[in-house]
Amino acid sequence: MKDVILKVKNLKKSYDNKPAVDGISFEVYRGEIFGILGPNGAGKTTTLEMIETMREIDSGSISVDGLDVATQGDSVKQIIGVQPQTAAFQDKQKLSEIIELFSAAYGEKVSAKKFLDEVNLGEKINNFAEELSGGQRQRLSIATAIVHNPRLFFLDEPTTGLDPQARRNLWDLIREIRDRGVTVIMTTHYLDEAEILCDRVAIMDNGKIIAIDTPIKLIKDLLKKGFHKEQKVEQANLEDVFIDLTGKGLRE
Ligand code: ADP
């Protein structure tokens, strides 16, 4: 039997009588990277923010590691981590101060160096947030969200706007976090990213989950329905060319 860390049952939320989340049910297993995909307006953010205790639920239930989000929100907050928007950092704050600030908010005292090392930013400990590149800011925001060792970690479009090296570097970091036993729930508009990174995905549209499975199973199901497209024989793509020419090293 699967070890379920998140259980969502018949969850609903409307704005001005218009359903944004329309009775969805799904489970996330401990230790997986779970992707929530869907076009803009599908209801992804509303769903995530209800799980994160940031928006009130109209009806249905959410349980995070056995805790009920509606009645035990404060306890839920202790075991989840939400990647903050990188804009949340003060430009004139040093990285060490930022880590200390976030850990203090959870009543923890952590070694800023250790946390920055884990996201490959140890050398920047005395730099200001404004001196970081886009990829570095994303890694800093991940570090701030895991200072309290959450069991469930949420990322909202973590690689939007990053160059290919920074993007692959962030995939490695997300996998490392998963491999440490943290369950990861993420949204992305990049379907290649979801296919490579996510153990399972849910596809949302109009407030409903219209498919949920491993990427490979969803692709196989589509093929079984008779779908086919013109075959491409290339074993590489333009991004592979780019990485081959410019290297895998971080350019930050
Ligand atoms: P997604 O994250 O998939 O883009 P959202 O959850 O942000 O979707 O939005 C789902 C629907 O709910 C959209 O139609 C959106 O306009 C509406 N919506 C989201 N937040 C609010 C809000 N605070 N007030 C009114 N309508 C909202």
Side-chain angles (χ1 to χ4, degrees), residues 13-16 18-21 36-49 55 156-157 187 189 204 206-207:
K13 173 97 182 165
S14 295
Y15 301 106
D16 308 321
K18 260 193 68 200
V21 174
I36 301 188
L37 315 176
N40 286 336
K44 305 181 296 294
T45 307
T46 305
T47 301
L48 286 186
E49 291 194 353
R55 284 197 212 194
D156 192 9
E157 295 183 33
T187 63
H189 283 299
M204 280 190 85
N206 295 319

Side-chain angles (χ1 to χ4, degrees), residues 94-230:
K94 284 188 180 172
L95 268 55
S96 54
E97 293 165 353
I98 292 173
I99 295 290
E100 280 157 15
L101 204 75
F102 273 83
S103 52
Y106 285 106
E108 309 258 340
K109 201 163 166 28
V110 300
S111 153
K113 177 77 169 70
K114 174 176 165 274
F115 268 90
L116 291 170
D117 277 343
E118 279 178 15
V119 297
N120 214 345
L121 282 177
E123 286 174 9
K124 301 273 176 192
I125 187 163
N126 289 316
N127 283 77
F128 292 114
E130 67 180 359
E131 295 166 332
L132 300 183
S133 70
Q136 289 169 335
R137 284 179 90 94
Q138 284 291 25
R139 297 208 304 278
L140 174 64
S141 85
I142 288 177
T144 61
I146 57 175
V147 285
H148 58 302
N149 275 322
R151 294 177 212 165
L152 190 56
F153 181 40
F154 296 88
L155 296 143
D156 192 9
E157 295 183 33
T159 65
T160 297
L162 299 185
D163 72 35
Q165 281 95 350
R167 194 163 166 244
R168 287 177 185 214
N169 184 267
L170 212 67
W171 293 350
D172 285 343
L173 178 59
I174 294 168
R175 288 191 189 105
E176 270 168 45
I177 291 170
R178 188 260 324 266
D179 293 345
R180 269 186 245 154
V182 180
T183 307
V184 177
I185 299 183
M186 60 179 282
T187 63
T188 180
H189 283 299
Y190 301 123
L191 297 181
D192 61 330
E193 173 166 290
E195 191 178 333
I196 291 170
L197 194 58
C198 295
D199 298 302
R200 289 192 310 138
V201 296
I203 301 177
M204 280 190 85
D205 199 12
N206 295 319
K208 293 189 187 295
I209 291 181
I210 52 175
I212 181 167
D213 217 318
T214 61
I216 190 77
K217 176 72 168 46
L218 292 172
I219 293 166
K220 281 188 176 157
D221 287 349
L222 175 68
L223 293 172
K224 266 193 217 147
K225 285 199 300 190
F227 175 92
H228 71 106
K229 63 178 176 187
E230 209 180 311

